Amino acid sequence: MTSDLLAPLDLAFWNMESADHPMHLGALGVFAAPSPTAGAHAADLLAARAAAVPGLRMRIRDVWPLGFPTAFGGAAREPAPDFDPLDHVTLRAPTADFQAEAGRLMQRPLDRERPPWEAHVLPGEDGLSFAVLFKFHHALADGLRALTLAAAVLDPMDMPAPRPRPVEPPRGLLPDVRRLPDVVRGALSGALSNVGRALDIGASVARSTLDVRSSVALSAESTGTRRTAGVVVDLDDVHRVRKVVGGTVNDVLIAVVAGALRRWLDERGDGSEGVAPRALIPVSKRRPRTAHPQGNRLSGYLMRLPVADRDPLRRLATVRAAMDRNKDAGPNRGAGAVALLADHVPALGHRLGGPLVGQAARLWFDILVTSVPLPSIGLKLGGNPVTEVYPFAPLARGQSLAVAVSTYRGRVHYGLVADAHAVPDLDLLARALAEEVETLITACEV
């Protein structure tokens, strides 16, 4: 296995990280267990299987052109010569609260000298369940890539084979001079298009910062501490709402977040009047069945959540209209597409500007709401089935809350990650999510 340079967005994630603000994503899977020893067996299986997964052997190291200082170079993935899966798979003490333990583990940065991933097995005190917390650095994997790596250490399952990448015809050493005018015109057109897109994105970001009121909790200074929580809702309930009001399942799930934030802010005394936090909705530009899923390929939509609106159906209509506008414009323009600009920043810019980009995240958006795809077939480890799975998104500096959503076997799992000091009552927000689904169902029945 050879090394490969990090894509620009991967390099940005690698360089914006700090010890207090790690840039890893995670997933907490809860498994039914037939005996108290199932967790220990699961840890042994994970370690044994990880040794055979090439993607889990990859570390990230700095590279630079010969004769130039490190700052002028980028970074690359390469096989770790001393890879030991036992350094990455940990069996922890039994716990009665998987989420509390996951929060403590999520705030710990990954070891940047080793392949940047971890798996922590958490036996349940009841002896009837255990959980596994997977952590992957965002520079190593986005949501789809992390799913691929995690699936490789779970029990074998039948997955569709990736479509082969089209083979380009061999090229000569020199270009065909007859094609030079077309090549030049294409290059100029692409350059002008990129400049126009960059200006459009920059102007959209500037406009998005005007006349925004966020909440005290969402705009609090982050401390690097972490707390997690999760809530499960029935997908059939989401479909009941969607069939009445139209739109997509994702529209409903985002509107649930808006309503839950309103309920939570009012209950904690912050107040929701006039609050319209900017939500970043990541959009994957990767095809799920590509043969080579390396590298983050992300854009995004930016929208203001209608938290201040008292009417649940009107909140949903506002979300639906905003998402329709975003989709009509496409994921390549608008304030949410800032990630695309990473492709036009040289390695030196990422290295020197990474910390500044991390600190600027709070100027760009207030809350992340992302969807993480999961296979519809049942996941197992050592024959033990997954009963719950909560995705966790990373928090950049200045971000207090991130929401990730996955649908698995007829149920929607919300995974919440928050700064533990800024949001000590994350469980109340989780409860508000479940209550908001009921509120929408009731509103649709009136």
PDB file of all heavy atoms in Angstrom, residues 225-261:
ATOM      1  N   THR A 225     -14.605  20.620  26.384  1.00  0.00           N
ATOM      2  CA  THR A 225     -15.220  19.476  27.062  1.00  0.00           C
ATOM      3  C   THR A 225     -16.355  18.938  26.189  1.00  0.00           C
ATOM      4  O   THR A 225     -16.849  19.632  25.301  1.00  0.00           O
ATOM      5  CB  THR A 225     -15.769  19.883  28.430  1.00  0.00           C
ATOM      6  OG1 THR A 225     -16.720  20.947  28.249  1.00  0.00           O
ATOM      7  CG2 THR A 225     -14.651  20.360  29.334  1.00  0.00           C
ATOM      8  N   ARG A 226     -16.761  17.696  26.442  1.00  0.00           N
ATOM      9  CA  ARG A 226     -17.792  17.087  25.614  1.00  0.00           C
ATOM     10  C   ARG A 226     -18.830  16.363  26.458  1.00  0.00           C
ATOM     11  O   ARG A 226     -18.532  15.804  27.506  1.00  0.00           O
ATOM     12  CB  ARG A 226     -17.170  16.083  24.629  1.00  0.00           C
ATOM     13  CG  ARG A 226     -16.264  16.704  23.578  1.00  0.00           C
ATOM     14  CD  ARG A 226     -17.035  17.533  22.574  1.00  0.00           C
ATOM     15  NE  ARG A 226     -16.162  18.112  21.563  1.00  0.00           N
ATOM     16  CZ  ARG A 226     -15.589  19.298  21.676  1.00  0.00           C
ATOM     17  NH1 ARG A 226     -15.809  20.047  22.756  1.00  0.00           N
ATOM     18  NH2 ARG A 226     -14.814  19.769  20.701  1.00  0.00           N
ATOM     19  N   ARG A 227     -20.045  16.419  25.964  1.00  0.00           N
ATOM     20  CA  ARG A 227     -21.157  15.659  26.526  1.00  0.00           C
ATOM     21  C   ARG A 227     -21.955  15.122  25.332  1.00  0.00           C
ATOM     22  O   ARG A 227     -22.100  15.823  24.320  1.00  0.00           O
ATOM     23  CB  ARG A 227     -22.027  16.566  27.401  1.00  0.00           C
ATOM     24  CG  ARG A 227     -23.164  15.848  28.124  1.00  0.00           C
ATOM     25  CD  ARG A 227     -24.004  16.852  28.907  1.00  0.00           C
ATOM     26  NE  ARG A 227     -23.209  17.569  29.896  1.00  0.00           N
ATOM     27  CZ  ARG A 227     -22.989  17.151  31.131  1.00  0.00           C
ATOM     28  NH1 ARG A 227     -23.512  16.007  31.531  1.00  0.00           N
ATOM     29  NH2 ARG A 227     -22.274  17.866  31.968  1.00  0.00           N
ATOM     30  N   THR A 228     -22.433  13.906  25.415  1.00  0.00           N
ATOM     31  CA  THR A 228     -23.248  13.355  24.342  1.00  0.00           C
ATOM     32  C   THR A 228     -24.598  12.902  24.877  1.00  0.00           C
ATOM     33  O   THR A 228     -24.755  12.650  26.072  1.00  0.00           O
ATOM     34  CB  THR A 228     -22.554  12.152  23.649  1.00  0.00           C
ATOM     35  OG1 THR A 228     -22.486  11.049  24.565  1.00  0.00           O
ATOM     36  CG2 THR A 228     -21.152  12.509  23.178  1.00  0.00           C
ATOM     37  N   ALA A 229     -25.545  12.820  23.978  1.00  0.00           N
ATOM     38  CA  ALA A 229     -26.873  12.309  24.316  1.00  0.00           C
ATOM     39  C   ALA A 229     -27.484  11.748  23.044  1.00  0.00           C
ATOM     40  O   ALA A 229     -27.047  12.067  21.928  1.00  0.00           O
ATOM     41  CB  ALA A 229     -27.760  13.403  24.908  1.00  0.00           C
ATOM     42  N   GLY A 230     -28.494  10.923  23.203  1.00  0.00           N
ATOM     43  CA  GLY A 230     -29.153  10.340  22.045  1.00  0.00           C
ATOM     44  C   GLY A 230     -30.632  10.168  22.295  1.00  0.00           C
ATOM     45  O   GLY A 230     -31.081  10.047  23.439  1.00  0.00           O
ATOM     46  N   VAL A 231     -31.392  10.180  21.212  1.00  0.00           N
ATOM     47  CA  VAL A 231     -32.832   9.947  21.303  1.00  0.00           C
ATOM     48  C   VAL A 231     -33.255   9.187  20.055  1.00  0.00           C
ATOM     49  O   VAL A 231     -32.694   9.371  18.971  1.00  0.00           O
ATOM     50  CB  VAL A 231     -33.609  11.273  21.446  1.00  0.00           C
ATOM     51  CG1 VAL A 231     -33.457  12.148  20.212  1.00  0.00           C
ATOM     52  CG2 VAL A 231     -35.073  11.017  21.744  1.00  0.00           C
ATOM     53  N   VAL A 232     -34.231   8.313  20.222  1.00  0.00           N
ATOM     54  CA  VAL A 232     -34.732   7.493  19.121  1.00  0.00           C
ATOM     55  C   VAL A 232     -36.199   7.824  18.900  1.00  0.00           C
ATOM     56  O   VAL A 232     -36.982   7.896  19.851  1.00  0.00           O
ATOM     57  CB  VAL A 232     -34.586   5.989  19.442  1.00  0.00           C
ATOM     58  CG1 VAL A 232     -35.109   5.145  18.289  1.00  0.00           C
ATOM     59  CG2 VAL A 232     -33.128   5.645  19.732  1.00  0.00           C
ATOM     60  N   VAL A 233     -36.572   8.037  17.630  1.00  0.00           N
ATOM     61  CA  VAL A 233     -37.973   8.257  17.280  1.00  0.00           C
ATOM     62  C   VAL A 233     -38.339   7.275  16.172  1.00  0.00           C
ATOM     63  O   VAL A 233     -37.484   6.805  15.422  1.00  0.00           O
ATOM     64  CB  VAL A 233     -38.241   9.711  16.825  1.00  0.00           C
ATOM     65  CG1 VAL A 233     -37.914  10.683  17.943  1.00  0.00           C
ATOM     66  CG2 VAL A 233     -37.441  10.045  15.572  1.00  0.00           C
ATOM     67  N   ASP A 234     -39.612   6.985  16.075  1.00  0.00           N
ATOM     68  CA  ASP A 234     -40.102   6.015  15.097  1.00  0.00           C
ATOM     69  C   ASP A 234     -40.161   6.661  13.718  1.00  0.00           C
ATOM     70  O   ASP A 234     -40.763   7.727  13.547  1.00  0.00           O
ATOM     71  CB  ASP A 234     -41.491   5.534  15.519  1.00  0.00           C
ATOM     72  CG  ASP A 234     -41.896   4.243  14.821  1.00  0.00           C
ATOM     73  OD1 ASP A 234     -41.678   4.150  13.590  1.00  0.00           O
ATOM     74  OD2 ASP A 234     -42.422   3.336  15.481  1.00  0.00           O
ATOM     75  N   LEU A 235     -39.554   6.013  12.734  1.00  0.00           N
ATOM     76  CA  LEU A 235     -39.576   6.554  11.376  1.00  0.00           C
ATOM     77  C   LEU A 235     -40.998   6.631  10.830  1.00  0.00           C
ATOM     78  O   LEU A 235     -41.309   7.535  10.031  1.00  0.00           O
ATOM     79  CB  LEU A 235     -38.694   5.697  10.464  1.00  0.00           C
ATOM     80  CG  LEU A 235     -38.550   6.158   9.013  1.00  0.00           C
ATOM     81  CD1 LEU A 235     -37.968   7.559   8.938  1.00  0.00           C
ATOM     82  CD2 LEU A 235     -37.684   5.184   8.216  1.00  0.00           C
ATOM     83  N   ASP A 236     -41.872   5.725  11.232  1.00  0.00           N
ATOM     84  CA  ASP A 236     -43.265   5.785  10.782  1.00  0.00           C
ATOM     85  C   ASP A 236     -43.929   7.082  11.224  1.00  0.00           C
ATOM     86  O   ASP A 236     -44.756   7.646  10.488  1.00  0.00           O
ATOM     87  CB  ASP A 236     -44.045   4.588  11.322  1.00  0.00           C
ATOM     88  CG  ASP A 236     -43.691   3.287  10.612  1.00  0.00           C
ATOM     89  OD1 ASP A 236     -43.102   3.364   9.510  1.00  0.00           O
ATOM     90  OD2 ASP A 236     -43.973   2.208  11.164  1.00  0.00           O
ATOM     91  N   ASP A 237     -43.582   7.570  12.411  1.00  0.00           N
ATOM     92  CA  ASP A 237     -44.139   8.840  12.876  1.00  0.00           C
ATOM     93  C   ASP A 237     -43.669   9.997  12.000  1.00  0.00           C
ATOM     94  O   ASP A 237     -44.438  10.924  11.702  1.00  0.00           O
ATOM     95  CB  ASP A 237     -43.736   9.091  14.331  1.00  0.00           C
ATOM     96  CG  ASP A 237     -44.441   8.162  15.305  1.00  0.00           C
ATOM     97  OD1 ASP A 237     -45.482   7.594  14.923  1.00  0.00           O
ATOM     98  OD2 ASP A 237     -43.943   7.998  16.437  1.00  0.00           O
ATOM     99  N   VAL A 238     -42.416   9.946  11.599  1.00  0.00           N
ATOM    100  CA  VAL A 238     -41.886  10.986  10.708  1.00  0.00           C
ATOM    101  C   VAL A 238     -42.616  10.946   9.367  1.00  0.00           C
ATOM    102  O   VAL A 238     -42.979  11.983   8.805  1.00  0.00           O
ATOM    103  CB  VAL A 238     -40.368  10.805  10.517  1.00  0.00           C
ATOM    104  CG1 VAL A 238     -39.819  11.839   9.529  1.00  0.00           C
ATOM    105  CG2 VAL A 238     -39.646  10.911  11.850  1.00  0.00           C
ATOM    106  N   HIS A 239     -42.855   9.744   8.860  1.00  0.00           N
ATOM    107  CA  HIS A 239     -43.575   9.612   7.587  1.00  0.00           C
ATOM    108  C   HIS A 239     -45.019  10.088   7.720  1.00  0.00           C
ATOM    109  O   HIS A 239     -45.590  10.634   6.761  1.00  0.00           O
ATOM    110  CB  HIS A 239     -43.539   8.163   7.109  1.00  0.00           C
ATOM    111  CG  HIS A 239     -42.262   7.779   6.417  1.00  0.00           C
ATOM    112  ND1 HIS A 239     -41.813   8.420   5.278  1.00  0.00           N
ATOM    113  CD2 HIS A 239     -41.334   6.839   6.702  1.00  0.00           C
ATOM    114  CE1 HIS A 239     -40.664   7.878   4.888  1.00  0.00           C
ATOM    115  NE2 HIS A 239     -40.348   6.919   5.748  1.00  0.00           N
ATOM    116  N   ARG A 240     -45.632   9.892   8.861  1.00  0.00           N
ATOM    117  CA  ARG A 240     -47.009  10.380   9.065  1.00  0.00           C
ATOM    118  C   ARG A 240     -47.071  11.877   8.885  1.00  0.00           C
ATOM    119  O   ARG A 240     -47.994  12.403   8.238  1.00  0.00           O
ATOM    120  CB  ARG A 240     -47.503   9.990  10.461  1.00  0.00           C
ATOM    121  CG  ARG A 240     -47.821   8.512  10.628  1.00  0.00           C
ATOM    122  CD  ARG A 240     -48.059   8.164  12.078  1.00  0.00           C
ATOM    123  NE  ARG A 240     -49.195   8.883  12.653  1.00  0.00           N
ATOM    124  CZ  ARG A 240     -49.509   8.848  13.945  1.00  0.00           C
ATOM    125  NH1 ARG A 240     -48.761   8.135  14.794  1.00  0.00           N
ATOM    126  NH2 ARG A 240     -50.555   9.508  14.390  1.00  0.00           N
ATOM    127  N   VAL A 241     -46.097  12.580   9.435  1.00  0.00           N
ATOM    128  CA  VAL A 241     -46.044  14.033   9.289  1.00  0.00           C
ATOM    129  C   VAL A 241     -45.766  14.408   7.841  1.00  0.00           C
ATOM    130  O   VAL A 241     -46.416  15.296   7.265  1.00  0.00           O
ATOM    131  CB  VAL A 241     -44.964  14.626  10.221  1.00  0.00           C
ATOM    132  CG1 VAL A 241     -44.823  16.128   9.986  1.00  0.00           C
ATOM    133  CG2 VAL A 241     -45.293  14.336  11.681  1.00  0.00           C
ATOM    134  N   ARG A 242     -44.794  13.742   7.228  1.00  0.00           N
ATOM    135  CA  ARG A 242     -44.407  14.079   5.862  1.00  0.00           C
ATOM    136  C   ARG A 242     -45.572  13.895   4.887  1.00  0.00           C
ATOM    137  O   ARG A 242     -45.765  14.704   3.965  1.00  0.00           O
ATOM    138  CB  ARG A 242     -43.227  13.213   5.437  1.00  0.00           C
ATOM    139  CG  ARG A 242     -42.710  13.479   4.028  1.00  0.00           C
ATOM    140  CD  ARG A 242     -41.739  12.414   3.578  1.00  0.00           C
ATOM    141  NE  ARG A 242     -42.331  11.087   3.573  1.00  0.00           N
ATOM    142  CZ  ARG A 242     -43.113  10.625   2.609  1.00  0.00           C
ATOM    143  NH1 ARG A 242     -43.411  11.395   1.572  1.00  0.00           N
ATOM    144  NH2 ARG A 242     -43.605   9.405   2.679  1.00  0.00           N
ATOM    145  N   LYS A 243     -46.351  12.831   5.066  1.00  0.00           N
ATOM    146  CA  LYS A 243     -47.445  12.569   4.144  1.00  0.00           C
ATOM    147  C   LYS A 243     -48.539  13.623   4.241  1.00  0.00           C
ATOM    148  O   LYS A 243     -49.265  13.865   3.267  1.00  0.00           O
ATOM    149  CB  LYS A 243     -48.017  11.177   4.427  1.00  0.00           C
ATOM    150  CG  LYS A 243     -47.081  10.044   4.016  1.00  0.00           C
ATOM    151  CD  LYS A 243     -47.648   8.688   4.394  1.00  0.00           C
ATOM    152  CE  LYS A 243     -46.682   7.570   4.005  1.00  0.00           C
ATOM    153  NZ  LYS A 243     -47.183   6.223   4.418  1.00  0.00           N
ATOM    154  N   VAL A 244     -48.659  14.257   5.404  1.00  0.00           N
ATOM    155  CA  VAL A 244     -49.682  15.287   5.574  1.00  0.00           C
ATOM    156  C   VAL A 244     -49.224  16.619   5.005  1.00  0.00           C
ATOM    157  O   VAL A 244     -49.981  17.312   4.304  1.00  0.00           O
ATOM    158  CB  VAL A 244     -50.048  15.442   7.065  1.00  0.00           C
ATOM    159  CG1 VAL A 244     -50.955  16.662   7.276  1.00  0.00           C
ATOM    160  CG2 VAL A 244     -50.739  14.184   7.572  1.00  0.00           C
ATOM    161  N   VAL A 245     -47.987  17.010   5.277  1.00  0.00           N
ATOM    162  CA  VAL A 245     -47.524  18.360   4.920  1.00  0.00           C
ATOM    163  C   VAL A 245     -46.638  18.379   3.684  1.00  0.00           C
ATOM    164  O   VAL A 245     -46.334  19.456   3.159  1.00  0.00           O
ATOM    165  CB  VAL A 245     -46.767  18.998   6.102  1.00  0.00           C
ATOM    166  CG1 VAL A 245     -47.652  19.086   7.322  1.00  0.00           C
ATOM    167  CG2 VAL A 245     -45.499  18.218   6.425  1.00  0.00           C
ATOM    168  N   GLY A 246     -46.197  17.208   3.197  1.00  0.00           N
ATOM    169  CA  GLY A 246     -45.323  17.179   2.035  1.00  0.00           C
ATOM    170  C   GLY A 246     -43.865  17.354   2.421  1.00  0.00           C
ATOM    171  O   GLY A 246     -43.501  17.358   3.590  1.00  0.00           O
ATOM    172  N   GLY A 247     -43.017  17.501   1.408  1.00  0.00           N
ATOM    173  CA  GLY A 247     -41.591  17.646   1.654  1.00  0.00           C
ATOM    174  C   GLY A 247     -40.910  16.298   1.798  1.00  0.00           C
ATOM    175  O   GLY A 247     -41.439  15.258   1.400  1.00  0.00           O
ATOM    176  N   THR A 248     -39.747  16.323   2.391  1.00  0.00           N
ATOM    177  CA  THR A 248     -38.941  15.109   2.543  1.00  0.00           C
ATOM    178  C   THR A 248     -38.813  14.727   4.013  1.00  0.00           C
ATOM    179  O   THR A 248     -39.119  15.524   4.914  1.00  0.00           O
ATOM    180  CB  THR A 248     -37.531  15.325   1.977  1.00  0.00           C
ATOM    181  OG1 THR A 248     -36.833  16.283   2.795  1.00  0.00           O
ATOM    182  CG2 THR A 248     -37.583  15.843   0.544  1.00  0.00           C
ATOM    183  N   VAL A 249     -38.337  13.510   4.240  1.00  0.00           N
ATOM    184  CA  VAL A 249     -38.059  13.081   5.609  1.00  0.00           C
ATOM    185  C   VAL A 249     -37.038  14.007   6.252  1.00  0.00           C
ATOM    186  O   VAL A 249     -37.174  14.382   7.424  1.00  0.00           O
ATOM    187  CB  VAL A 249     -37.551  11.621   5.613  1.00  0.00           C
ATOM    188  CG1 VAL A 249     -36.937  11.261   6.967  1.00  0.00           C
ATOM    189  CG2 VAL A 249     -38.687  10.659   5.281  1.00  0.00           C
ATOM    190  N   ASN A 250     -36.030  14.404   5.484  1.00  0.00           N
ATOM    191  CA  ASN A 250     -35.002  15.292   6.034  1.00  0.00           C
ATOM    192  C   ASN A 250     -35.579  16.637   6.448  1.00  0.00           C
ATOM    193  O   ASN A 250     -35.161  17.215   7.460  1.00  0.00           O
ATOM    194  CB  ASN A 250     -33.887  15.487   5.004  1.00  0.00           C
ATOM    195  CG  ASN A 250     -32.585  15.931   5.634  1.00  0.00           C
ATOM    196  OD1 ASN A 250     -32.190  15.434   6.677  1.00  0.00           O
ATOM    197  ND2 ASN A 250     -31.921  16.891   5.010  1.00  0.00           N
ATOM    198  N   ASP A 251     -36.542  17.158   5.678  1.00  0.00           N
ATOM    199  CA  ASP A 251     -37.204  18.413   6.066  1.00  0.00           C
ATOM    200  C   ASP A 251     -37.841  18.272   7.444  1.00  0.00           C
ATOM    201  O   ASP A 251     -37.727  19.164   8.298  1.00  0.00           O
ATOM    202  CB  ASP A 251     -38.284  18.791   5.044  1.00  0.00           C
ATOM    203  CG  ASP A 251     -37.720  19.137   3.679  1.00  0.00           C
ATOM    204  OD1 ASP A 251     -36.512  19.441   3.590  1.00  0.00           O
ATOM    205  OD2 ASP A 251     -38.496  19.097   2.704  1.00  0.00           O
ATOM    206  N   VAL A 252     -38.529  17.158   7.653  1.00  0.00           N
ATOM    207  CA  VAL A 252     -39.194  16.940   8.946  1.00  0.00           C
ATOM    208  C   VAL A 252     -38.172  16.837  10.061  1.00  0.00           C
ATOM    209  O   VAL A 252     -38.332  17.430  11.144  1.00  0.00           O
ATOM    210  CB  VAL A 252     -40.075  15.673   8.892  1.00  0.00           C
ATOM    211  CG1 VAL A 252     -40.724  15.423  10.257  1.00  0.00           C
ATOM    212  CG2 VAL A 252     -41.143  15.792   7.820  1.00  0.00           C
ATOM    213  N   LEU A 253     -37.081  16.103   9.819  1.00  0.00           N
ATOM    214  CA  LEU A 253     -36.073  15.913  10.863  1.00  0.00           C
ATOM    215  C   LEU A 253     -35.399  17.225  11.243  1.00  0.00           C
ATOM    216  O   LEU A 253     -35.080  17.454  12.414  1.00  0.00           O
ATOM    217  CB  LEU A 253     -35.034  14.895  10.393  1.00  0.00           C
ATOM    218  CG  LEU A 253     -35.572  13.482  10.111  1.00  0.00           C
ATOM    219  CD1 LEU A 253     -34.460  12.570   9.627  1.00  0.00           C
ATOM    220  CD2 LEU A 253     -36.236  12.901  11.359  1.00  0.00           C
ATOM    221  N   ILE A 254     -35.176  18.111  10.273  1.00  0.00           N
ATOM    222  CA  ILE A 254     -34.590  19.420  10.569  1.00  0.00           C
ATOM    223  C   ILE A 254     -35.588  20.280  11.329  1.00  0.00           C
ATOM    224  O   ILE A 254     -35.230  20.989  12.285  1.00  0.00           O
ATOM    225  CB  ILE A 254     -34.133  20.113   9.276  1.00  0.00           C
ATOM    226  CG1 ILE A 254     -32.999  19.320   8.615  1.00  0.00           C
ATOM    227  CG2 ILE A 254     -33.665  21.546   9.563  1.00  0.00           C
ATOM    228  CD1 ILE A 254     -32.629  19.821   7.232  1.00  0.00           C
ATOM    229  N   ALA A 255     -36.858  20.239  10.922  1.00  0.00           N
ATOM    230  CA  ALA A 255     -37.886  21.006  11.630  1.00  0.00           C
ATOM    231  C   ALA A 255     -38.033  20.535  13.074  1.00  0.00           C
ATOM    232  O   ALA A 255     -38.305  21.339  13.977  1.00  0.00           O
ATOM    233  CB  ALA A 255     -39.220  20.890  10.889  1.00  0.00           C
ATOM    234  N   VAL A 256     -37.849  19.241  13.309  1.00  0.00           N
ATOM    235  CA  VAL A 256     -37.883  18.719  14.680  1.00  0.00           C
ATOM    236  C   VAL A 256     -36.766  19.362  15.502  1.00  0.00           C
ATOM    237  O   VAL A 256     -36.968  19.721  16.679  1.00  0.00           O
ATOM    238  CB  VAL A 256     -37.749  17.183  14.668  1.00  0.00           C
ATOM    239  CG1 VAL A 256     -37.465  16.649  16.070  1.00  0.00           C
ATOM    240  CG2 VAL A 256     -39.022  16.551  14.120  1.00  0.00           C
ATOM    241  N   VAL A 257     -35.588  19.524  14.905  1.00  0.00           N
ATOM    242  CA  VAL A 257     -34.485  20.181  15.616  1.00  0.00           C
ATOM    243  C   VAL A 257     -34.867  21.619  15.958  1.00  0.00           C
ATOM    244  O   VAL A 257     -34.628  22.091  17.084  1.00  0.00           O
ATOM    245  CB  VAL A 257     -33.196  20.146  14.767  1.00  0.00           C
ATOM    246  CG1 VAL A 257     -32.093  20.967  15.428  1.00  0.00           C
ATOM    247  CG2 VAL A 257     -32.730  18.705  14.575  1.00  0.00           C
ATOM    248  N   ALA A 258     -35.470  22.340  15.006  1.00  0.00           N
ATOM    249  CA  ALA A 258     -35.863  23.732  15.257  1.00  0.00           C
ATOM    250  C   ALA A 258     -36.867  23.818  16.403  1.00  0.00           C
ATOM    251  O   ALA A 258     -36.736  24.659  17.311  1.00  0.00           O
ATOM    252  CB  ALA A 258     -36.442  24.350  13.985  1.00  0.00           C
ATOM    253  N   GLY A 259     -37.875  22.947  16.381  1.00  0.00           N
ATOM    254  CA  GLY A 259     -38.874  22.974  17.444  1.00  0.00           C
ATOM    255  C   GLY A 259     -38.303  22.567  18.786  1.00  0.00           C
ATOM    256  O   GLY A 259     -38.674  23.133  19.829  1.00  0.00           O
ATOM    257  N   ALA A 260     -37.391  21.591  18.787  1.00  0.00           N
ATOM    258  CA  ALA A 260     -36.776  21.165  20.040  1.00  0.00           C
ATOM    259  C   ALA A 260     -35.913  22.270  20.633  1.00  0.00           C
ATOM    260  O   ALA A 260     -35.898  22.472  21.858  1.00  0.00           O
ATOM    261  CB  ALA A 260     -35.937  19.910  19.803  1.00  0.00           C
ATOM    262  N   LEU A 261     -35.199  22.996  19.782  1.00  0.00           N
ATOM    263  CA  LEU A 261     -34.397  24.119  20.282  1.00  0.00           C
ATOM    264  C   LEU A 261     -35.289  25.179  20.917  1.00  0.00           C
ATOM    265  O   LEU A 261     -34.943  25.742  21.971  1.00  0.00           O
ATOM    266  CB  LEU A 261     -33.585  24.734  19.138  1.00  0.00           C
ATOM    267  CG  LEU A 261     -32.377  23.926  18.653  1.00  0.00           C
ATOM    268  CD1 LEU A 261     -31.782  24.580  17.399  1.00  0.00           C
ATOM    269  CD2 LEU A 261     -31.306  23.813  19.738  1.00  0.00           C
TER     270      LEU A 261
END
